[in-house]
Amino acid sequence: MPRRGVFTFLPRLQQSEGDPMTMPAIASLPARKRRRRSSGWLGLAYIAPAIALVTVFFVLPVLFTLWMSLHRWPLLGAPRWIGLGNYLRMFDDARFLAALGFTTHYTVVVTIAIFAIAFPLAFFVEKQRPLVSIYRTVIFLPVVVGLASASLLWVWLANVDSGLLSPVLQMLGLTERRLNLLATFDTAFLTVIVMVVWKIAGFTMIILLTGLQAIPTELTEAARIDGARPWQRFRHLTLPLMRRTLALALILSITGSILAFDQFYIMTSGGPQNRMISVVYYIFNQSFVSFNLGYGAALSIALLVILVLISVVQLWLLKVGGERP
Amino acid sequence: MLRKLLFATALVSVLGSGAASAETINMWVRSGIGDSFKEVVKAYNAAREDKVELTEVPFSELVQKYATAIAGGQAPDALSLDLIYTPAFAAAGQLEDMTDWAKSLTYFKSLSPSHVKLGTYEERIYGLPLLVETSIFAWNKGLYKQAGLDPEKAPTTWEEITANAEKIRALGDNTYGFYFSGGGCGGCAIFTFTPLVWGAGADILSEDGKTATLDTPQMRKAIDIYRNLVAKDTVPAGAASDNGVNFLSITNGKIGQQSLGAFAIGTLVTKHPEIDFGVALIPGVDGKPSSFAGGDNFVVTKGTPKLSAVKKFIEYTYSMEGQEIMAKYGSLPTRGDIADDVLKGLDPRLNVAKDAIAVAKTPYTLQFNDLINSANGPWATFINAAIFGNDVDGAFENAQSEMQSIIDAAQ
């Protein structure tokens, strides 16, 4: 089976330690060592621009955020060292815990919805059929729209007076009078979910499609000859062989959902009675509405830790990079 | 963007200092401030040797940008600051103390009292009125006539407003009797809704701003009035999720009555001449009117070398000439003593907005953003929950305790 997934680099690195190809023979040690050392420097030179970029735009900002998170850091006035005060405050902060709860709820719902739509779509566009490239393009199109623009578009669609959805629902006789979709939590949440699925499902579909296409047809044929029914083939052949692709799609989807901000900020301003405040939204509010930059920084670090933990757990659950075939 | 801006202002100040004794003041204004102040600056620059260099900063980023500019030593000499932010900036020690000079002005006592109060921190004056804006009640005379109401008679109680709203709503499908932005627009609600309780002698914060006093009989009554307007279907369904974008709904000609700001009088007169409207003060729940005084304060960055030039410019804006230009472009006079002369010959409806200054209030708090303005703050949430939700008691309870906890956390 192909081992070219994104997550194969870890075991590869470990393997190379004992790889006979790189084990130097005793006799030619000095020459090889020199070459290895110079090629090491050369390699470093090659990746230096990348290291510089990552350092300047990721490592340093994270370190600075960490430093800020240990202070009471107002936008105006002098920062004051308070040690772990910001981190302790988090645990009693009902609004932060509520944001965490809502983000979890949203992530679970939207991830299930995206996969429920994207998987059938991937099967649909995988088979060679007439116009399949047009289908692929059409389904993928919303992905290239920016999330903020898509949110604005849907704000208009969902507008009760000048939009599209409410009048259509009324015309079809589904609602007695025009329903303000964004006014109550359930309908507003549903609108956001539908928007995000419309926007993201095409991307997940493309990822799943690459996984499906990497499965050799001989295997499917062999299974069919052995008498496996479609569901059995899916369950025992397709799914296991797509493990790496699924892991990639899941991690991208879950990480993206946990970092959700634009759709709530633009479509509902935090939702009817603040019930749609995601964690990132709360961090934004703390930092730039309440001007508590230190607390915002601490919340960001906490979110970073949560994201890393979730990704590690997912990789472990899906056993990506493990010894199983 | 910011750096470019700073560079430009720095360059201007270098050039300015080179030219003889004339000085150039760098001043920031927030976007959306309207034309009135820009016109005053234009007139000043044309007539005087000193110049004022205006830089417009997006209103949502003004606080951040000003804070970073102070840290980088590139702050402007003066700033037009939304008046509710003045206490917070003064408390942070970034503004010039203007107490002695301000009190030496002969007309000091007639400057808009709400502005001076918000510009005062611990007995010292850091901000002086620049733009004055009050909230008023407006009605569409055309719709009044169609509904068989007297178009020249201003309603003076909320019972009357509600009855009129129902009659206007009865006109048909898309015509509504009343409008307000009820979906997380704290700024809209404090501007147009709190006058209902202020008129009746209650307030949402205690005098010193340290106790939340939301749950009063007056507030309960005000909420009931709005709930009733919604229940009787006199308010468009979009109001429940309007975060302020459609605040000027009355301009579509299908809204019978709405509480607005004085700036809206200017907008209606200049941009929607087809709408014939009347203006009155916003009645309180027991009929006694009130208003919200908003607008901008003039503040000066601490330690600016151009203090005397800034003072000269402020005096110019307070002169008859300066006040007249501002009023012409839709800003109310900041000086009560000459207000009548200034407004002579302008749209008479501006007089109602001017008279509102005398009964107007502004909550004094360092946490205005957190408590009131933020779309996710307790006040905005309360308005939506109490007027459109099913649990009024719960809404009062939550908002009261959250407001108090925000105030306590900041002490």
Side-chain angles (χ1 to χ4, degrees):
Chain A
M1 78 151 278
R3 288 188 61 100
R4 278 179 222 281
V6 177
F7 298 99
T8 46
F9 65 94
L10 266 180
R12 282 281 167 95
L13 278 178
Q14 284 155 5
Q15 279 163 16
S16 71
E17 292 289 309
D19 198 332
M21 288 294 286
T22 51
M23 268 308 206
I26 308 277
S28 54
L29 186 68
R32 287 211 167 209
K33 211 173 184 178
R34 217 177 302 135
R35 200 188 309 156
R36 223 171 95 175
R37 194 180 292 160
S38 70
S39 79
W41 283 113
L42 195 62
L44 201 63
Y46 277 131
I47 59 166
I51 289 185
L53 282 176
V54 169
T55 310
V56 171
F57 292 109
F58 181 73
V59 177
L60 290 182
V62 166
L63 288 178
F64 188 63
T65 309
L66 197 64
W67 173 247
M68 284 177 83
S69 74
L70 301 172
H71 293 75
R72 188 185 173 101
W73 197 300
L75 198 61
L76 288 169
R80 187 162 53 83
W81 175 268
I82 53 165
L84 292 174
N86 282 325
Y87 290 94
L88 297 175
R89 176 176 161 191
M90 243 174 251
F91 293 98
D92 303 323
D93 187 345
R95 287 187 292 169
F96 173 61
L97 298 177
L100 216 49
F102 170 72
T103 308
T104 313
H105 177 65
Y106 167 77
T107 302
V108 169
V109 172
V110 85
T111 302
I112 292 174
I114 287 176
F115 275 81
I117 299 289
F119 232 121
L121 282 178
F123 276 108
F124 175 71
V125 299
E126 191 229 347
K127 299 212 174 65
Q128 278 308 322
R129 59 176 92 222
L131 302 178
V132 71
S133 51
I134 292 185
Y135 291 137
R136 284 180 192 167
T137 312
V138 167
I139 298 169
F140 191 72
L141 262 185
V143 177
V144 300
V145 180
L147 188 53
S149 327
S151 304
L152 274 176
L153 174 71
W154 279 72
V155 165
W156 169 72
L157 285 175
N159 184 291
V160 60
D161 297 312
S162 56
L164 177 75
L165 303 178
S166 301
V168 165
L169 287 177
Q170 190 191 21
M171 251 187 272
L172 293 174
L174 293 173
T175 54
E176 202 176 307
R177 37 175 300 165
R178 280 196 192 176
L179 187 69
N180 187 346
L181 288 170
L182 299 178
T184 56
F185 177 80
D186 291 336
T187 50
F189 190 62
L190 185 69
T191 313
V192 172
I193 296 285
V194 171
M195 188 281 284
V196 172
V197 169
W198 167 81
K199 163 94 180 70
I200 304 288
F203 181 65
T204 311
M205 175 196 82
I206 293 289
I207 297 178
L208 294 177
L209 182 63
T210 58
L212 278 177
Q213 286 178 333
I215 299 173
T217 39
E218 299 84 31
L219 284 178
T220 333
E221 269 166 34
R224 194 177 289 150
I225 289 165
D226 288 345
R229 281 188 295 273
W231 170 251
Q232 286 175 314
R233 289 206 301 274
F234 176 73
R235 171 71 189 78
H236 297 289
L237 193 73
T238 313
L239 269 189
L241 287 180
M242 282 183 70
R243 216 152 35 94
R244 283 165 208 288
T245 320
L246 275 178
L248 173 64
L250 254 184
I251 288 183
L252 285 178
S253 170
I254 290 182
T255 314
S257 309
I258 289 178
L259 294 176
F261 170 71
D262 315 35
Q263 56 267 52
F264 303 117
Y265 186 69
I266 294 171
M267 289 180 70
T268 62
S269 319
Q273 293 141 42
N274 286 349
R275 290 178 61 194
M276 286 200 213
I277 306 255
S278 65
V279 174
V280 177
Y281 200 148
Y282 187 63
I283 293 174
F284 168 80
N285 271 353
Q286 279 299 327
S287 305
F288 300 110
V289 177
S290 310
F291 305 134
N292 295 326
L293 294 185
Y295 189 45
L299 291 171
S300 305
I301 296 288
L303 186 59
L304 182 69
V305 170
I306 291 173
L307 275 175
V308 169
L309 284 180
I310 288 178
S311 298
V312 167
V313 167
Q314 280 188 86
L315 289 177
W316 176 73
L317 275 180
L318 288 156
K319 298 204 173 56
V320 172
E323 283 312 302
R324 254 177 57 179
Chain B
M1 169 69 201
L2 179 65
R3 194 176 295 167
K4 228 185 233 172
L5 213 144
L6 292 175
F7 179 72
T9 46
L11 193 70
V12 164
S13 59
V14 167
L15 291 176
S17 60
S21 63
E23 287 200 89
T24 299
I25 309 163
N26 293 307
M27 187 164 173
W28 285 8
V29 294
R30 62 185 166 107
S31 60
I33 195 171
D35 292 329
S36 54
F37 186 61
K38 289 180 205 157
E39 293 295 331
V40 172
V41 168
K42 219 185 268 174
Y44 187 75
N45 286 347
R48 308 289 170 112
E49 216 163 87
D50 290 348
K51 303 281 175 251
V52 177
E53 185 76 27
L54 271 193
T55 305
E56 207 166 339
V57 181
F59 119 85
S60 54
E61 291 162 32
L62 184 81
V63 177
Q64 291 97 303
K65 284 207 176 1
Y66 186 55
T68 29
I70 290 173
Q74 299 282 7
D77 301 305
L79 192 69
S80 163
L81 190 62
D82 190 330
L83 103 130
I84 49 157
Y85 290 123
T86 332
F89 275 79
Q94 306 295 348
L95 304 180
E96 187 75 38
D97 183 344
M98 298 193 285
T99 316
D100 300 326
W101 173 71
K103 286 193 170 154
S104 74
L105 296 170
T106 50
Y107 44 82
F108 174 71
K109 289 251 182 301
S110 53
L111 291 173
S112 164
S114 285
H115 284 65
V116 176
K117 186 181 168 208
L118 270 274
T120 306
Y121 177 72
E122 291 183 344
E123 312 286 313
R124 308 298 291 175
I125 297 167
Y126 297 92
L128 289 168
L130 177 59
L131 297 177
V132 179
E133 160 91 317
T134 52
S135 49
I136 41 94
F137 175 85
W139 73 94
N140 184 322
K141 290 186 180 175
L143 292 176
Y144 259 51
K145 232 178 276 172
Q146 281 184 44
L149 298 162
D150 179 0
E152 300 307 325
K153 187 181 170 294
T156 53
T157 64
W158 281 95
E159 287 72 33
E160 219 177 309
I161 292 172
T162 308
N164 293 356
E166 282 180 89
K167 282 189 189 139
I168 294 166
R169 178 71 182 109
L171 288 175
D173 258 359
N174 288 322
T175 310
Y176 289 90
F178 192 71
Y179 190 81
F180 62 96
S181 303
C185 184
C188 310
I190 196 81
F191 194 58
T192 60
F193 181 68
T194 34
L196 272 74
V197 296
W198 286 340
D203 202 348
I204 58 171
L205 294 171
S206 65
E207 188 73 17
D208 60 0
K210 295 202 168 145
T211 317
T213 54
L214 194 65
D215 196 352
T216 54
Q218 291 93 326
M219 182 58 89
R220 293 258 173 189
K221 207 170 156 195
I223 289 289
D224 276 346
I225 289 168
Y226 267 49
R227 278 187 78 87
N228 187 33
L229 281 163
V230 172
K232 291 199 165 141
D233 194 32
T234 64
V235 181
S241 56
D242 176 11
N243 57 10
V245 176
N246 297 323
F247 182 72
L248 286 178
S249 273
I250 195 167
T251 55
N252 69 16
K254 299 278 187 192
I255 303 291
Q257 309 167 97
Q258 194 185 341
S259 295
L260 293 165
F263 71 95
I265 300 178
T267 308
L268 279 165
V269 170
T270 54
K271 300 214 170 104
H272 299 275
E274 76 280 3
I275 296 177
D276 186 14
F277 66 100
V279 171
L281 294 177
I282 301 173
V285 290
D286 58 2
K288 205 166 154 262
S290 185
S291 178
F292 180 101
D296 281 47
N297 256 343
F298 224 125
V299 298
V300 180
T301 306
K302 194 172 197 163
T304 173
K306 295 172 191 158
L307 191 58
S308 63
V310 172
K311 284 175 180 168
K312 260 189 248 165
F313 174 63
I314 298 180
E315 282 179 36
Y316 173 75
T317 66
Y318 287 154
S319 71
M320 189 70 191
E321 192 187 340
Q323 295 277 295
E324 266 177 346
I325 297 171
M326 303 248 280
K328 198 170 142 201
Y329 290 92
S331 172
L332 296 170
T334 39
R335 273 178 65 183
D337 55 342
I338 54 169
D340 290 329
D341 294 335
V342 169
L343 288 176
K344 216 175 270 172
L346 294 174
D347 193 293
R349 286 170 287 205
L350 280 169
N351 275 313
V352 177
K354 187 258 307 176
D355 293 338
I357 296 176
V359 290
K361 277 183 84 154
T362 312
Y364 181 96
T365 166
L366 301 186
Q367 287 82 42
F368 199 91
N369 222 18
D370 265 351
L371 290 173
I372 312 286
N373 256 7
S374 159
N376 311 114
W379 169 251
T381 311
F382 165 74
I383 289 296
N384 187 272
I387 296 175
F388 295 99
N390 298 319
D391 181 12
V392 180
D393 290 330
F396 267 100
E397 211 171 294
N398 290 340
Q400 171 75 32
S401 70
E402 206 187 318
M403 283 174 100
Q404 193 59 54
S405 78
I406 288 176
I407 297 169
D408 290 344
Q411 298 304 319

